[in-house]
Amino acid sequence: MTNGILNKLQAAFIKDKSYRDTGFNQHWWQIIVATSLGVTALVWGVRELKWLQAWELKAYDQMMRSATLGGTPSPFTKRGSSHPAESPDPRLLVVTITEEDLAKQGGNLSDNTINQVLIKLKSYQARVIALNIYRPEQKNLASGIKNPYNIIVACLSSSMGRSEIPPPPNFPEANIGYNDLVSDVEEDQIVRRALLFSQPNDSKCHTQFSFAALAAIAYLEQMGIHPDFAKDKFYLGKKAFPILTSDSGSYQGVDANGYQILLNYRHPDHLATTVTLTQVLNNQVNPNLVKDRLVIIGTTATSIHPGLYTPYSPASEQPTRTPAVFIHAQIASQLLSTVLDGRPLIWYWPNSVELVWLWGWSLVGGVLGWRVRHPLLLIVVGGTVLVGLWLICAGFFLQAGWIPLIPPALSLILSGATVMTYTTYRTQQQTQVIMLQVEKQQEVIEQLNILLQETTGTRDTTAIYDQHSHNNSAITTAEKRTGDLLLGGRYYISSVLGAGGFGQTYLAQDTHRPGSPTCVVKKLMPARRDTRFLQVARRLFTTEAEILESLGKHRQIPALLAYFEVEEEFYLIEEYIAGHTLNEELPPVTGLQSEGFVVEMLKGVLEVLAFVHEHRVIHRDVKPTNIIRSAEDNRLVLIDFGAVKLMQPPSDEKTELATVAIGTRGYAPPEQFAGHPRLASDIYAVGMMGIQALTGILPQELTPDPETGNVIWRSNARVSEELAVILDKMVRYHFSDRYQSATAVLQDLHRISNLIQTSSIS
């Protein structure tokens, strides 16, 4: 099954390679930019409607779980690896009140019991004691304790459906903090934000400080670090704490009342040292764990409160709900660590930067959709790019940066899919047009074959010979006039590239374009000048030119720049490819070539044939002299498509059947000479080129097997069995025994490429 998937993926790569350089619009970037802007506007609008917020917050939680900010591991570092996790905060001690502690106290905590704990902790020289316990009756709390200035107590405004609970009556307002925590109620009730301050109201819990913030500030004030509100920002010492707004990060329209910051969690397993109430009462706590620390006391018993959801709730090794005392400890630890250790606060970009970030990934998606035209390949490449996006966001998160992940990922996918769908649709339209042109071409070829096979009278034959002489004279005249002929009032003929039969090829300068760039002019003269023949020839020329115009958008086919008729002679104006023909790289011009050369040559030709055959176009005359090695980038370029040559009489290198078929002896298979070329006919010609490179023998000189008709060549070459099997299948005598597509040959060549390269190195 895996091999099947890999084969499909390999085929997708091959097919995409043949398509990726085509284009139906010279301004392809306009399509990408327009699509990216539209997708960006759409995704941004959806984001503003908060439809993506839940996904983005889940991604935020995942990155929070994957990395310990300010400290360390990669988001993919596993537990137990050599990379250490962030160590617990050394300034904190958490005293928990468990179900077992409550059971030992008869189910209720009296003021007397709590006072005993406070006295012990003060005797151990705790710097600040934060008591996160509130009960309806707590009249004697801290009674008998001298100087309770460093004891912080809590009240409850009205949160989580619970009635508000006033603070202990014997504590000054400066030592009271509200216990309320902020969760994302509209999404998933997860606590991701820390509320530090808020405007006091007329409730019984009349304080502007949160419990955790007040505890941390009290701790820092004893170190000479005081809070300050300057320029609408909250400072602790020199450290500023930017206020969270309603659209900070990936939040949209969140309730940002009060002074809130994003909560930068420590891993729950590495938050702070923890002891139980019973251990404190039984003197089982080392005083050094208490000295100079911020001690936070609170309940973990679910019978008192079930706890709250945090980003760690989905983790299998963590409880679903976290007791409030630990969340307060997280907030206090963040404030202390930020001021004293430089531990980073979570930061985020302004909306303008996020919009550019979103557009950038939409552009990336558009480029991928344009360059990668196959859905399977787009999934593979797009998936890889999405992993890269995740790594970038995770990398920023390691530096405490929360940048959007879901919106750019969605933009990437939508842009890529939109551009790919559009280009695929346009390509299919183009393919349908070419296929219709091919059908017309085939009809014209059949009519032309009928005309060429008609028996002509003596007078017609004499006329043809006279015309033949006239055309030969015209060739001579054209050669003499080279240099002063301005064809079509535009193309300045500079030299003759070649002549054969009744056609010629020139180099010319296009005087209507800036710089007068060089182009190729191909003159095609019909074999006959009678009206019927010219009408059919003209139709063949037009359909062939339209096909070449469409195919010429591939980088391995010269672009057709223009086509026209002058005085019953037909002209094709094509892009000039500087280089040399492949014939100069093959025997007998050169010595025998290596297997590696042959494989690369076959792949280079077959890649463009895969594109041509996809449009049901048959080249009909694949041979070394019709393939140019570009001097600019070494690519192989396929020239001289053969159907239009049917209107010309045979040249010396064509067979006696060339009046009803086109092809070159040795490279053209039997069915092509019988007037029935197929896609596999081009594959036969490419295979013969490979055999020529390995044996040094011209294809027409190879001996066929008298029983099968297949050429005999292996005894004249040093070749691996793998490559020989492929070549044999390419040049089978009967077309049904050959490869039926260029893509299938490419798959087998790619499969043996590494093997051949390895053997050549060794």
Side-chain angles (χ1 to χ4, degrees):
M1 180 177 179
T2 303
N3 289 336
I5 295 174
L6 291 176
N7 288 336
K8 289 181 180 179
L9 184 58
Q10 187 181 58
F13 272 98
I14 293 168
K15 184 174 181 181
D16 178 71
K17 189 172 183 180
S18 68
Y19 273 94
R20 66 183 180 183
D21 296 302
T22 64
F24 45 78
N25 193 324
Q26 294 179 348
H27 304 296
W28 56 268
W29 57 270
Q30 293 179 347
I31 297 174
I32 295 175
V33 171
T35 301
S36 65
L37 288 173
V39 169
T40 300
L42 173 64
V43 173
W44 188 264
V46 170
R47 186 174 187 252
E48 290 295 309
L49 293 173
K50 302 175 67 172
W51 292 354
L52 302 180
Q53 182 167 285
W55 292 357
E56 189 71 4
L57 292 178
K58 289 184 184 300
Y60 173 91
D61 295 343
Q62 178 60 52
M63 287 188 286
M64 180 67 73
R65 293 192 298 271
S66 300
T68 303
L69 294 176
T72 58
S74 154
F76 305 105
T77 300
K78 295 182 179 179
R79 280 187 172 228
S81 69
S82 59
H83 205 131
E86 189 175 19
S87 59
D89 193 327
R91 292 168 290 266
L92 260 64
L93 175 68
V94 178
V95 178
T96 62
I97 302 172
T98 65
E99 295 284 5
E100 291 78 7
D101 294 329
L102 290 176
K104 291 179 180 180
Q105 298 298 322
N108 292 311
L109 287 176
S110 64
D111 285 350
N112 183 50
T113 300
I114 296 175
N115 289 340
Q116 290 181 40
V117 173
L118 295 176
I119 292 171
K120 284 184 178 292
L121 294 175
K122 286 186 67 67
S123 68
Y124 294 157
Q125 300 180 22
R127 181 172 297 179
V128 175
I129 302 172
L131 188 60
N132 185 31
I133 300 174
Y134 39 77
R135 294 159 298 133
E137 298 294 333
Q138 41 186 352
K139 298 179 180 180
N140 297 317
L141 191 62
S143 176
I145 298 177
K146 296 180 180 180
N147 300 323
Y149 65 90
N150 64 338
I151 298 177
I152 306 298
V153 294
C155 60
L156 183 66
S157 294
S158 58
S159 177
M160 299 168 288
R162 302 179 59 164
S163 302
E164 68 174 311
I165 299 176
N170 52 341
F171 274 84
E173 185 177 313
N175 287 50
I176 300 172
Y178 53 79
N179 197 45
D180 302 73
L181 294 169
V182 178
S183 61
D184 293 323
V185 178
E186 293 184 7
E187 302 298 341
D188 45 25
Q189 298 186 346
I190 289 179
V191 178
R192 300 182 179 92
R193 296 168 282 145
L195 178 61
L196 305 183
F197 316 105
S198 64
Q199 289 294 330
N201 51 37
D202 295 331
S203 67
K204 300 176 181 178
C205 188
H206 189 77
T207 177
Q208 63 179 350
F209 289 94
S210 74
F211 172 78
L214 185 59
I217 291 172
Y219 182 93
L220 292 171
E221 282 186 323
Q222 293 193 36
M223 300 176 64
I225 300 173
H226 301 280
D228 183 26
F229 289 90
K231 299 180 181 179
D232 297 326
K233 278 190 178 180
F234 166 57
Y235 286 81
L236 274 174
K238 297 181 179 180
K239 186 64 181 180
F241 290 80
I243 188 171
L244 189 79
T245 62
S246 61
D247 59 351
S248 294
S250 290
Y251 277 117
Q252 298 298 320
V254 69
D255 182 1
N257 290 327
Y259 204 111
Q260 301 180 33
I261 62 172
L262 283 172
L263 181 49
N264 186 355
Y265 279 86
R266 289 176 179 266
H267 193 282
D269 293 343
H270 306 282
L271 172 58
T273 304
T274 303
V275 297
T276 65
L277 180 75
T278 300
Q279 288 176 320
V280 176
L281 291 173
N282 294 341
N283 299 318
Q284 295 174 332
V285 176
N286 187 339
N288 290 327
L289 294 178
V290 181
K291 186 177 180 180
D292 291 330
R293 295 204 183 193
L294 166 58
V295 181
I296 300 179
I297 306 172
T299 180
T300 61
T302 57
S303 60
I304 302 298
H305 190 279
L308 299 100
Y309 297 105
T310 73
Y312 290 91
S313 294
S316 58
E317 71 276 9
Q318 296 296 326
T320 303
R321 290 175 178 258
T322 298
V325 63
F326 289 123
I327 299 178
H328 287 296
Q330 290 276 8
I331 299 171
S333 175
Q334 178 169 340
L335 295 177
L336 296 179
S337 299
T338 299
V339 175
L340 300 177
D341 302 333
R343 190 169 184 265
L345 294 166
I346 295 178
W347 53 268
Y348 31 80
W349 285 332
N351 282 340
S352 58
V353 177
E354 289 188 349
L355 184 60
V356 173
W357 169 254
L358 191 64
W359 182 44
W361 284 100
S362 186
L363 282 173
V364 171
V367 172
L368 288 179
W370 180 266
R371 298 290 290 176
V372 183
R373 303 288 179 88
H374 194 283
L376 179 59
L377 186 55
L378 184 62
I379 291 173
V380 173
V381 177
T384 303
V385 175
L386 286 175
V387 171
L389 172 60
W390 160 258
L391 289 174
I392 292 172
C393 291
F396 271 95
F397 208 82
L398 283 171
Q399 305 302 318
W402 183 22
I403 63 176
L405 171 62
I406 301 302
L410 187 59
S411 297
L412 177 81
I413 294 170
L414 288 178
S415 289
T418 301
V419 172
M420 188 197 70
T421 301
Y422 175 73
T423 53
T424 300
Y425 169 73
R426 289 296 301 270
T427 300
Q428 288 175 346
Q429 279 189 323
Q430 184 186 67
T431 300
Q432 291 175 355
V433 170
I434 295 177
M435 292 179 70
L436 288 174
Q437 292 166 341
V438 171
E439 291 178 4
K440 293 179 182 178
Q441 180 193 66
Q442 190 59 39
E443 294 176 1
V444 177
I445 289 174
E446 291 175 0
Q447 296 177 23
L448 190 64
N449 285 340
I450 294 173
L451 290 176
L452 290 173
Q453 295 179 46
E454 285 181 348
T455 303
T456 59
T458 304
R459 186 178 64 178
D460 291 338
T461 303
T462 302
I464 292 173
Y465 284 136
D466 289 343
Q467 185 64 49
H468 183 227
S469 300
H470 170 76
N471 286 336
N472 277 332
S473 174
I475 293 172
T476 304
T477 302
E479 289 175 346
K480 290 180 180 179
R481 295 176 61 189
T482 297
D484 60 6
L485 174 63
L486 197 62
L487 181 62
R490 175 171 181 172
Y491 302 100
Y492 180 81
I493 305 299
S494 58
S495 63
V496 178
L497 281 179
F502 281 68
Q504 280 190 302
T505 305
Y506 305 98
L507 274 184
Q509 276 71 48
D510 186 350
T511 60
H512 285 195
R513 294 176 62 193
S516 298
T518 301
C519 58
V520 175
V521 175
K522 292 184 179 180
K523 179 168 68 172
L524 304 169
M525 293 174 289
R528 287 160 39 185
R529 297 298 180 108
D530 57 279
T531 303
R532 289 179 61 200
F533 190 91
L534 279 175
Q535 287 177 344
V536 176
R538 188 174 291 112
R539 288 179 59 198
L540 178 60
F541 173 76
T542 301
T543 56
E544 179 86 351
E546 290 173 350
I547 292 172
L548 290 177
E549 187 174 27
S550 297
L551 296 181
K553 293 169 184 176
H554 193 284
R555 66 188 296 267
Q556 289 179 264
I557 299 174
L560 182 66
L561 305 177
Y563 60 94
F564 50 84
E565 178 185 348
V566 177
E567 296 180 357
E568 297 181 346
E569 293 175 348
F570 304 100
Y571 293 88
L572 296 173
I573 313 299
E574 295 182 346
E575 173 191 10
Y576 173 63
I577 306 296
H580 60 269
T581 66
L582 194 58
N583 190 55
E584 297 182 25
E585 301 181 10
L586 300 181
V589 179
T590 64
L592 300 182
Q593 293 288 3
S594 66
E595 286 194 20
F597 171 88
V598 172
V599 169
E600 291 306 311
M601 177 191 71
L602 296 178
K603 287 161 63 176
V605 179
L606 288 166
E607 282 167 1
V608 63
L609 278 182
F611 167 73
V612 172
H613 289 176
E614 186 69 22
H615 295 83
R616 314 308 296 173
V617 175
I618 306 171
H619 185 279
R620 287 181 168 85
D621 199 15
V622 177
K623 58 184 178 181
T625 54
N626 281 345
I627 299 170
I628 295 177
R629 175 80 70 181
S630 171
E632 179 183 3
D633 54 13
N634 213 40
R635 74 186 188 274
L636 295 179
V637 180
L638 188 60
I639 65 172
D640 280 355
F641 284 70
V644 75
K645 300 174 187 176
L646 289 170
M647 67 183 182
Q648 302 171 213
S651 64
D652 293 338
E653 68 175 355
K654 296 173 187 173
T655 71
E656 66 277 4
L657 294 176
T659 52
V660 292
I662 195 69
T664 302
R665 184 181 294 279
Y667 298 102
E671 75 276 0
Q672 186 167 327
F673 281 137
H676 303 289
R678 301 172 183 271
L679 300 180
S681 303
D682 288 343
I683 295 174
Y684 179 96
V686 179
M688 294 306 294
M689 289 166 49
I691 292 173
Q692 177 183 343
L694 292 170
T695 64
I697 302 174
L698 292 173
Q700 61 267 31
E701 297 176 3
L702 291 171
T703 304
D705 187 313
E707 294 184 3
T708 64
N710 298 328
V711 294
I712 301 173
W713 65 275
R714 286 203 188 195
S715 59
N716 297 301
R718 296 182 58 184
V719 61
S720 65
E721 179 65 20
E722 292 81 7
L723 180 56
V725 168
I726 292 175
L727 289 171
D728 278 340
K729 189 173 179 180
M730 293 177 72
V731 299
R732 296 291 185 196
Y733 178 83
H734 199 277
F735 63 85
S736 63
D737 296 331
R738 294 181 215 135
Y739 286 99
Q740 297 303 299
S741 72
T743 301
V745 190
L746 284 168
Q747 282 182 327
D748 285 351
L749 287 173
H750 282 291
R751 178 175 50 81
I752 69 169
S753 289
N754 292 335
L755 179 63
I756 290 177
Q757 291 174 1
T758 302
S759 61
S760 63
I761 293 174
S762 59

